[in-house]
Amino acid sequence: MYKIYPKTLFIGQIIQYLPSCQSTNDEASTLIAQNDPNEGLLVITDHQTAGRGQRGNQWEAKSGQNLTFSLILKPSFLTATEQFWLNMAISLGIYDALQPLVDDSLRIKWPNDIYVDDKKLGGILIENTLHGYSIAWSVIGLGLNVNQTEFGYSTATSLQNQSTLPHGYDLPGLLSRLCETLEQRYLQLLSGQRDTLKTNYLQTLYRYQEEHSFESAGQYFKGTIIGIDANGRLAINIDEQVRYFDFKEVSFS
């Protein structure tokens, strides 16, 4: 059970705790379909049996050792084409909470993973419901590896692996801090501070302005990430030509 008292206006003020569920995003979506839930409501579980990530990937997390939750927001001030701004705000909110616990190797991997060096610490899955041209509801699923130390993938890591505490990290305390930093970034977005958000996002972006290998449509190439466009597409400089890639059109290799 999670009892937290974040210093927030709305995020985390109401929590629905489930010892186990298939997907917190699905549970949050059901709440939206059934009634009009409060903005900032969290659905959190100790054990998610069918969690999912971008590209249909499964999310691996041992019961009671990590943070797995979904946040309900109502970003009606954003149009459908502006949804990546929410992605940036959420990513930065997570970064702000975790960076003091790790170090400068913490990065946001486009479009929405949290990395330490070349290992994944957490992931974000945002699912939006539209009303006309605006976003009526957003369900933001967050999975963060906290106290788990062994994974089935060599590319996964956790806070405990990166910065060990004798008795592990306090999950409710970390959740409370996340609520605060997520709300701060969300309010930045709400108040129109987009230049600040984009600048901060690029400053923390994984492999930004570094030449690395990528794959797209079965082709491998070297390029340098130079930014993102207004729709959230990744801009890569390839042989002195800039190409733009959508979420599922390019991967890091």
Side-chain angles (χ1 to χ4, degrees):
M1 184 66 183
Y2 285 84
K3 291 184 178 179
I4 63 171
Y5 305 95
K7 297 176 182 177
T8 60
L9 296 174
F10 53 95
I11 292 183
Q13 292 299 318
I14 301 175
I15 292 181
Q16 178 169 313
Y17 167 73
L18 302 169
S20 177
C21 72
Q22 285 194 329
S23 162
T24 57
N25 263 32
D26 288 349
E27 295 289 341
S29 296
T30 298
L31 289 176
I32 292 171
Q34 291 177 344
N35 52 36
D36 187 23
N38 292 85
E39 184 171 35
L41 184 148
L42 294 184
V43 178
I44 187 164
T45 187
D46 287 328
H47 182 51
Q48 187 170 240
T49 60
R52 60 189 186 277
Q54 290 289 348
R55 303 173 188 268
N57 294 332
Q58 292 292 107
W59 180 254
E60 175 194 11
K62 290 185 178 179
S63 178
Q65 296 186 22
N66 307 293
L67 284 176
T68 306
F69 64 96
S70 293
L71 166 65
I72 295 176
L73 293 176
K74 299 180 181 179
S76 57
F77 57 92
L78 294 175
T79 65
T81 59
E82 296 174 321
Q83 57 186 302
F84 196 76
W85 289 100
L86 179 62
N87 191 309
M88 282 193 280
I90 296 300
S91 299
L92 286 168
I94 297 171
Y95 177 90
D96 293 342
L98 300 186
Q99 197 278 332
L101 305 177
V102 190
D103 53 33
D104 290 337
S105 61
L106 187 70
R107 288 288 182 268
I108 298 170
K109 182 182 176 185
W110 179 91
N112 46 18
D113 285 335
I114 307 299
Y115 264 55
V116 177
D117 292 322
D118 294 317
K119 294 192 174 184
K120 185 173 179 176
L121 183 68
I124 307 164
L125 178 64
I126 300 179
E127 298 176 313
N128 297 313
T129 302
L130 302 181
H131 181 72
Y133 294 104
S134 298
I135 300 175
W137 297 94
S138 287
V139 175
I140 298 147
L142 304 174
L144 298 175
N145 298 329
V146 183
N147 291 320
Q148 183 173 340
T149 56
E150 295 181 358
F151 299 89
Y153 300 94
S154 61
T155 54
T157 190
S158 67
L159 285 177
Q160 185 69 352
N161 279 343
Q162 297 302 137
S163 183
T164 304
L165 292 182
H167 303 291
Y169 286 83
D170 172 40
L171 293 180
L174 180 57
L175 178 63
S176 182
R177 178 57 182 157
L178 279 162
C179 289
E180 294 167 1
T181 54
L182 285 167
E183 184 169 286
Q184 289 165 8
R185 289 295 187 173
Y186 184 63
L187 291 177
Q188 268 191 325
L189 178 59
L190 179 62
S191 63
Q193 299 180 50
R194 295 189 177 189
D195 288 345
T196 299
L197 287 170
K198 186 170 183 179
T199 297
N200 293 164
Y201 185 84
L202 291 177
Q203 288 171 340
T204 61
L205 190 60
Y206 177 71
R207 294 185 177 177
Y208 179 56
Q209 293 185 334
E210 300 175 3
E211 185 178 63
H212 282 277
S213 297
F214 300 88
E215 184 270 328
S216 178
Q219 300 294 316
Y220 291 85
F221 58 89
K222 287 188 177 294
T224 302
I225 297 173
I226 61 171
I228 54 173
D229 70 5
N231 295 318
R233 294 185 304 169
L234 192 67
I236 303 178
N237 188 329
I238 307 167
D239 296 329
E240 303 304 320
Q241 291 188 337
V242 179
R243 290 182 58 189
Y244 294 88
F245 297 90
D246 215 331
F247 299 151
K248 296 184 179 181
E249 293 178 347
V250 68
S251 60
F252 297 80
S253 63

